[in-house]
Amino acid sequence: MYTQALNNNSDAADRTIEDAAHTTAFQARIDAEARIEPNDWMPAAYRKTLVRQISQHAHSEIVGMLPEGNWITRAPSLRRKVALLAKVQDECGHGLYLYAAAETLGASREELVDAMLAGKAKYSSIFNYPTLTWADIGVIGWLVDGAAIMNQIPLCRCSYGPYARAMIRVCKEESFHQRQGYEIMLTLCRGSAAQKAMAQDALNRWWWPVLMMFGPPDQASQHGDASTKWKIKRFSNDELRQKFVDATVPQAQYLGLSIPDPGMTQDEEGHWRHGAIDWSEFKQVLAGNGPCNRDRLAARRKAHDDGAWVREAAAAYAEKRKFRQAAQAAE
Amino acid sequence: MATPNTPLWEVFIRSRNGLAHRHCGSLHASDATMALQAARDIYTRRGEGLSIWVVPSGAITASDPAEKGMMFEPAESKIYRHPTFYEVPEEVGHM
Ligand SMILES: [Fe+2]
Ligand SMILES: [Fe+2]
């Protein structure tokens, strides 16, 4: 968004020199809830944090198409098929809005994508789990998109303007994702005993990985403090996780499904307190050892390589037309 | 091999008849035709637009926010450009 060319002005380097006055004025603007725009002065660490966060978010949307794309051709009805197709198309759009937001910070989409394909950039751990049955598509919409919405709503007020605006767009589109997922769950739960068992099995497999989506517990999170000060992050990982659990438990009860957490209790204030999360699993998945990490990267690399001729042909065609136009103008 | 960069375009959409085209984001495309098609697919999946403009990002010249003081100062002192600068007796009614 806006023009990246401006960020390459010769005085851009001077502008990144962090003098104390700049930093103070920057923080004062953040404290006053002002939005930071691409060509405004910003601390180098703020820029770096945002490029990392926004690009990881973008990669997640793109890789996130794979587990669901797996079921498009096998959706049980035309209604389900068009919904799933539209949802997966939305996720692609979300990825593109986010790459564009990251580019306003001076990164290039090509570099960001290459880093992801090289396995150097992270994406959400959740997309490294397999979609074994149709019920997984229901659970993903209901819980994975539900968790993403929890995380994305506060980001609509993020201090960085282009990211906040991308999130507003994303959140508007996201609500149908969750609703179509819950509708799938409701249909399965009102169906035969086998269908309901399938729904419960999917919930059992996805529940804990979904809770991990909110990231490590607050005391272990490395990026919390600065991001909070800069108003990139408005709620801590644990706060968002708690909000999500409180919202989700009644929805599971309505479906007649049980949360696979024998240690779960409701406290005096009505909050549902989950049992201990197995963070070693989370670390394993982040380290590349989840059930589908290799598959996901291989699929993205194949798509990228298979599309190379299209990018090359489009560039060659644009070049040819430019050449012809120049020749015509010279005549 | 590193992926070569594809040109960047800014997208403007007229959402309803009578409204101005409004900037809504950017995208990469090799040429203007492909930029228009990509803009339709990325930014108008739910009928958000009646018309799209795409402009090469490099063609935009923007003012420097660091110089906004100097840039916009001339207007700041001209309070007589606002209707509230002028006194009209209350009896005259709304004007
Ligand atoms: Fe999304
Ligand atoms: Fe979604």
Side-chain angles (χ1 to χ4, degrees), chain B residues 27-43:
Chain B
L27 52 80
H28 289 272
S30 311
D31 61 31
T33 312
M34 292 186 79
L36 265 183
Q37 285 170 0
R40 179 201 58 193
D41 293 345
I42 298 170
Y43 293 105

Side-chain angles (χ1 to χ4, degrees), chain A residues 5-15:
Chain A
L6 290 165
N7 295 329
N8 300 330
N9 283 351
S10 55
D11 58 349
D14 303 335
R15 267 193 237 144

Side-chain angles (χ1 to χ4, degrees), chain A residues 24 90 213 255 288 290:
Chain A
T24 312
D90 276 354
M213 281 176 73
L255 293 171

Side-chain angles (χ1 to χ4, degrees), chain A residues 1-6 11 15 29 39-40 86 89-94 96-97 100-101 103-104 108-111 113-114 117 169 172-174 176-177 304 310-312 314-315 317-318 321, chain B residues 1-10 13 22-34 38-39 41-46 48 56-68:
Chain A
M1 297 168 195
Y2 305 112
T3 139
Q4 275 67 54
L6 290 165
D11 58 349
R15 267 193 237 144
R29 289 187 61 196
N39 297 318
D40 292 341
Q89 283 174 328
D90 276 354
E91 305 303 3
C92 180
H94 297 174
L96 296 179
Y97 308 155
E103 287 192 282
T104 64
S108 85
R109 185 178 75 182
E110 287 81 359
E111 273 164 31
V113 169
D114 285 348
L117 296 175
R169 224 189 151 80
K172 263 192 214 156
E173 299 182 352
E174 208 65 75
F176 115 73
H177 298 183
H304 190 75
V310 180
R311 293 189 294 275
E312 282 159 22
Y317 180 67
R321 294 223 340 193
Chain B
M1 193 190 77
T3 313
N5 287 7
T6 310
L8 190 66
W9 302 76
E10 300 303 316
I13 291 179
R22 212 173 135 178
H23 182 248
C24 72
S26 55
L27 52 80
H28 289 272
S30 311
D31 61 31
T33 312
M34 292 186 79
D41 293 345
I42 298 170
Y43 293 105
T44 63
R45 286 195 303 284
R46 290 174 176 78
E48 290 94 334
S57 298
I60 293 176
T61 307
S63 66
D64 183 348
E67 289 181 355
K68 65 171 184 284

Side-chain angles (χ1 to χ4, degrees), chain A residues 17 40 66 73 112 121 150 157 162 189 192 220 249 284 296 310:
Chain A
I17 296 169
D40 292 341
L66 297 170
T73 56
L112 297 173
M150 264 313 161
R157 294 185 293 127
C189 291
S192 67
V249 171
Q284 277 300 312
R296 300 297 184 234
V310 180

Side-chain angles (χ1 to χ4, degrees), chain A residues 2 13 26 36 54-55 62 75 77 80 95 105 128 144 146 176 179 190 196 199 232 249 254 311:
Chain A
Y2 305 112
F26 173 82
I36 306 301
I54 301 172
S55 60
I62 299 298
S77 69
R80 295 286 184 236
L105 292 157
N128 290 312
V144 175
F176 115 73
R179 290 171 64 101
R190 284 172 176 165
K196 184 156 185 185
I232 294 171
V249 171
Y254 185 83
R311 293 189 294 275

